[in-house]
Amino acid sequence: GKNPNFSLRDYDFKGKKILDIGFGDGRDLVLFKDLGFITYGIEVDEDVVEHSSIKFKKLGLDIKLSKGFNDNTGFQENEFEFVYALASLMYLRNKEININDVISHSYNILKKNGYFIGSFTKAESHVVKESTQLDFNKIIMKDPFYKQREGQIYYLHHSKEEVIKDLEFAGFKKVIVSEYSADWFGTQENHYLFVARK
């Protein structure tokens, strides 16, 4: 960004390990590598992992990618200084997994005083359209817009206080939550963005 009062270059991330849970197209991984992080990423789809690994290798970028899930990344406890999870924590693999399983796993793989940065979806976001309600927070997505996530179990938050409560329940402290809303190519994206510390 162009904020004259803030620059990521003011911070030294060299040698610090970061994990991007659900790295998608990998754009944030490139930023993290550029900032000096030892950079890791996971995705649920092996084809995405393979494609991105080849792409980064051709670019000469040492970014470590693997298959993993938000509730089981495949990493050990106390491994990372930063865990980053933008638009990936809300997906639940099955009805038995709950949001506390997901948040607690990120807590466990963080080192003491490590940072957890990510987002949760607001209940009034476009993903709710035509979905089936399982309980107050869980839906089964219909996904009429993207047509890629039908049948996916998805977790929604109803307030900033609910986000803070869930993060603190897992053990996080110094939780900061903000709200984000945008018309994203015809979909109304409504999220809670958060930063928390172990």
Side-chain angles (χ1 to χ4, degrees):
K2 297 185 190 237
N3 185 334
N5 299 313
F6 175 75
S7 172
L8 287 171
R9 303 283 177 202
D10 295 338
Y11 300 89
D12 183 11
F13 299 114
K14 286 184 178 56
K16 302 238 178 350
K17 291 172 74 172
I18 189 168
L19 173 65
D20 185 342
I21 296 176
F23 61 79
D25 63 11
R27 71 184 80 179
D28 295 332
L29 293 170
V30 177
L31 168 65
F32 299 146
K33 189 68 183 169
D34 185 51
L35 290 169
F37 281 105
I38 300 168
T39 307
Y40 293 76
I42 62 157
E43 264 292 347
V44 299
D45 190 318
E46 288 182 15
D47 291 337
V48 172
V49 172
E50 183 179 354
H51 168 80
S52 299
S53 296
I54 293 167
K55 175 177 71 175
F56 291 138
K57 188 173 181 181
K58 285 180 181 176
L59 292 171
L61 296 174
D62 180 21
I63 298 174
K64 300 156 184 64
L65 304 180
S66 58
K67 180 176 178 176
F69 304 94
N70 56 15
D71 64 291
N72 184 2
T73 59
F75 293 101
Q76 301 298 313
E77 292 186 5
N78 307 308
E79 184 125 2
F80 297 95
E81 282 88 4
F82 291 82
V83 170
Y84 175 81
L86 200 65
S88 61
L89 297 171
M90 301 75 72
Y91 295 94
L92 304 179
R93 280 195 287 160
N94 55 55
K95 293 179 182 177
E96 285 70 47
I97 292 171
N98 63 51
I99 200 65
N100 188 52
D101 298 326
V102 172
I103 298 170
S104 293
H105 181 69
S106 287
Y107 182 88
N108 290 336
I109 63 175
L110 271 170
K111 293 182 178 179
K112 186 176 181 184
N113 294 317
Y115 287 92
F116 187 27
I117 302 163
S119 69
F120 289 112
T121 302
K122 285 184 170 187
E124 61 271 16
S125 193
H126 75 95
V127 298
V128 178
K129 187 175 182 183
E130 298 180 30
S131 66
T132 302
Q133 197 83 26
L134 289 176
D135 61 31
F136 185 64
N137 295 97
K138 288 183 192 174
I139 61 170
I140 299 176
M141 295 177 72
K142 180 68 175 167
D143 194 26
F145 190 86
Y146 294 113
K147 299 183 178 15
Q148 295 177 333
R149 302 176 289 184
E150 185 170 354
Q152 174 68 55
I153 301 170
Y154 199 86
Y155 195 92
L156 302 164
H157 279 85
H158 296 269
S159 68
K160 287 168 69 171
E161 293 73 26
E162 192 176 35
V163 172
I164 292 168
K165 181 181 175 186
D166 283 346
L167 289 164
E168 288 181 343
F169 182 78
F172 284 103
K173 57 190 177 185
K174 298 183 180 177
V175 179
I176 299 170
V177 180
S178 63
E179 298 182 47
Y180 167 84
S181 181
D183 183 336
W184 185 255
F185 301 102
T187 65
Q188 190 60 41
E189 301 281 351
N190 296 308
H191 298 279
Y192 296 106
L193 306 176
F194 68 84
V195 178
R197 280 191 92 174
K198 181 170 179 178

